[in-house]
Amino acid sequence: MSVLVAGAIVLWWLRPTEVTLGDHQYDVVTALYRVCNQRSADGLRAIEEMGPFDGSDEGAQAIHQIITLGRAGQWQDAAILCRQAMEDQVR
């Protein structure tokens, strides 16, 4: 029983944090979600050219992470991050 409690505590502690996106950042993440589902390297490059998406705020960091995953060909993981970031906006 204590193993289950310890496991639950670890999962709670490791849960992803919610991301707050600005209006423009939300639009970018929405476009990235489409690009990731299409697995489109050309679309990813087009979005990158709209940048820069670097910065210290959590929205910029999320976009950078999504783009990095897309560049690495990890489209499904990138799409999951997009979806999570969009869902975080309605909570």
Side-chain angles (χ1 to χ4, degrees), residues 10-89:
V10 168
L11 287 176
W12 178 83
W13 185 65
L14 294 175
R15 77 190 185 293
T17 58
E18 291 186 7
V19 173
T20 301
L21 300 172
D23 291 338
H24 178 66
Q25 290 173 335
Y26 185 85
D27 294 340
V28 170
V29 170
T30 302
L32 281 169
Y33 185 65
R34 179 182 45 78
V35 164
C36 291
N37 282 326
Q38 295 173 346
R39 300 174 186 259
S40 172
D42 291 336
L44 184 63
R45 276 191 293 279
I47 290 173
E48 283 183 281
E49 290 173 3
M50 292 170 38
F53 300 114
D54 51 348
S56 60
D57 67 278
E58 59 190 334
Q61 291 174 358
I63 290 170
H64 179 70
Q65 187 176 11
I66 293 163
I67 289 173
T68 299
L69 287 170
R71 279 189 205 143
Q74 297 176 352
W75 297 109
Q76 185 174 6
D77 292 338
I80 289 169
L81 286 180
C82 289
R83 177 74 183 208
Q84 186 63 50
M86 291 186 294
E87 287 178 358
D88 287 349
Q89 305 319 296

